[in-house]
Amino acid sequence: MQLSNLKIAVVGAGYGGAAAAKALSLLGAQVDVYEQASRIREVGAGIGLRPATMDRFRQWGIFDAVAGVSSPSDYFEILDAGARPMLKEVWPGTDAHAEPTRTHLIHRGDFIDALLGVLPDGMLHLGHRLETVTDLGDRARLAFADGTAVEADLVVGADGIKSVVRRALFSDKEPVFSGEHAYRAVIDLADTHGMCPDDNLRMYIGRGTKVYLLPLRHRGQVSFDITALCPDDTWAPRITHADLLATVAGFDERIVAMTRDLDLGAVNVRAVYDIDPVERWHTDSVVLVGDAAHSMLHHQGQGANSAIEDAGALADALRDASSVPEALAAYQATRKPVTDELQRISRQGWTEQEIDDVFPGQKPGAVAGNVGRQAP
Ligand SMILES: Cc1cc2nc3c(=O)[nH]c(=O)nc-3n(C[C@H](O)[C@H](O)[C@H](O)COP(=O)(O)OP(=O)(O)OC[C@H]3O[C@@H](n4cnc5c(N)ncnc54)[C@H](O)[C@@H]3O)c2cc1C
């Protein structure tokens, strides 16, 4: 297939859209990215970029751009609420690539800046909110809220959990409330009471609450995240400092102290949603990647990583296939079984007892029937 004549429009400049734009432009395609925001902003929080993700960056020649704003990490540890160790494991996949590749801990803002920073000038178009997508068979048409429109041979829907592209062409099912809230903040290492002695992720599990400490040593900071069962399904809930403190009652006193010291105004508060698996991710000229295709709960830390792997798999498929439809079918066949399974296991975050405590007799969809964790 002649890729240099292929006109590709990517909707959304999150991790999935930015990575797809990088990978597809390296193939020689003509890529444009349309993002609704007029300025790129990310949540103040950290994530772990797995070895497979970092290996993709190596293939794309952008490893150093990402490694330069992240810290390598060797293992993750799970502890109980009293900080007693339960499990310590090397991050999986370190030796699965041609070069040994570690997991890298990164601030979400630095990550999107690094990805967008390696795109060719002029590729990103901010302030373009997609309103409608029309599948025209061998091409598709995008119409934006500002009245402009474009046509492309391939549209990549990377527009996140509330994807307009998915709703228009693939599934009109609503996102599913997980029954939990995520409270995320970035604090100084000096304010962690010695709880971050090295560059490894620690998760503390108490009844109905998980606390994550993800060091960002290169910034002298730590991503301090609390995930707690809560029946309030408002997308951006309002909470008080007392609500926050209640989630860590009974935890190690250093975690309670860190929570007490949090500036509530600097805490990102959101209800957590995912989507049920989507049957089909593509037509002959439109395809979904990232959360648009398979938004999953964050218990496995795999959503952003999956978006990068989607981008890589889509580029591989386009490079190897003899037509766009053949490539899109191959891409879905490679990625969907993996993300279906990740969506399933990511829902197994809580014990039956924890769910019953918070939702007596009435469980939200994403947790109902998907109980997986053993009580600590
Ligand atoms: C609490 C929490 C913790 C998480 N922790 C981790 C973790 O540790 N590791 C991990 O791998 N993942 C994690 N994730 C998941 C990760 O954040 C997502 O999977 C990832 O952001 C998906 O990237 P994306 O590019 O597909 O979508 P998004 O990041 O949602 O990007 C979509 C982009 O599309 C744009 N857009 C939307 N609609 C339109 C439109 N109509 N027109 C134009 N543009 C549009 C948006 O503005 C946005 O820029 C976590 C998620 C949550 C909620």
Side-chain angles (χ1 to χ4, degrees), residues 274-323:
D274 70 357
I275 60 172
D276 288 331
V278 175
E279 194 70 26
R280 196 171 156 80
W281 290 357
H282 68 93
T283 63
D284 284 352
S285 57
V286 182
V287 68
L288 300 175
V289 301
D291 275 15
H294 50 61
S295 173
M296 61 187 71
L297 303 185
H298 58 283
H299 299 291
Q300 301 293 321
Q302 289 282 15
N305 283 283
S306 296
I308 307 303
E309 292 208 44
D310 289 353
L314 179 61
D316 289 351
L318 280 162
R319 182 196 60 209
D320 296 341
S322 56
S323 70

Side-chain angles (χ1 to χ4, degrees), residues 51-108:
T53 301
M54 294 304 295
D55 190 58
R56 276 293 181 190
F57 296 153
R58 184 179 288 124
Q59 290 170 27
W60 299 340
I62 63 171
F63 184 95
D64 290 346
V66 177
V69 288
S70 59
S71 296
S73 169
D74 291 321
Y75 65 86
F76 66 92
E77 196 172 2
I78 301 178
L79 306 94
D80 69 12
R84 284 172 291 268
M86 293 164 63
L87 174 99
K88 181 172 170 177
E89 265 184 27
V90 172
W91 289 104
T94 308
D95 295 318
H97 307 284
E99 281 183 51
T101 307
R102 296 157 82 189
T103 288
H104 281 244
L105 307 182
I106 193 165
H107 186 287
R108 297 178 69 103

Side-chain angles (χ1 to χ4, degrees), residues 12 15-16 35-36 47 108 128 130 159 184 291 298 301 303-305:
Y15 305 128
E35 163 60 43
Q36 66 182 357
I47 51 177
R108 297 178 69 103
H128 279 70
L130 180 73
D159 49 344
R184 294 180 283 178
D291 275 15
H298 58 283
N305 283 283

Side-chain angles (χ1 to χ4, degrees), residues 191-262:
D191 296 334
T192 59
H193 305 272
M195 290 199 92
C196 294
D198 53 32
D199 289 322
N200 298 303
L201 169 69
R202 288 182 173 77
M203 175 171 80
Y204 301 82
I205 302 182
R207 177 172 278 201
T209 296
K210 295 174 187 173
V211 174
Y212 302 81
L213 288 178
L214 184 145
L216 299 164
R217 191 163 304 275
H218 52 285
R219 295 171 65 112
Q221 292 178 317
V222 177
S223 177
F224 178 37
D225 305 348
I226 299 171
T227 298
L229 283 168
C230 181
D232 177 5
D233 64 358
T234 315
W235 278 86
R238 283 169 176 271
I239 60 154
T240 64
H241 218 129
D243 295 332
L244 207 52
L245 270 171
T247 66
V248 294
F251 274 68
D252 183 285
E253 62 188 26
R254 294 166 296 176
I255 292 177
V256 175
M258 282 159 56
T259 310
R260 191 179 300 118
D261 292 345
L262 279 175

Side-chain angles (χ1 to χ4, degrees), residues 115-176:
L115 284 181
L116 294 175
V118 297
L119 296 185
D121 282 349
M123 186 176 283
L124 174 62
H125 308 282
L126 296 171
H128 279 70
R129 184 164 66 78
L130 180 73
E131 277 195 334
T132 57
V133 50
T134 311
D135 185 347
L136 303 168
D138 63 353
R139 61 196 204 290
R141 183 172 192 275
L142 300 175
F144 299 99
D146 65 1
T148 59
V150 295
E151 281 192 15
D153 303 310
L154 174 61
V155 165
V156 178
D159 49 344
I161 187 169
K162 296 178 182 168
S163 171
V164 169
V165 180
R166 182 182 72 241
R167 282 159 189 256
L169 298 176
F170 304 105
S171 167
D172 58 4
K173 283 172 81 175
E174 294 296 324
V176 181

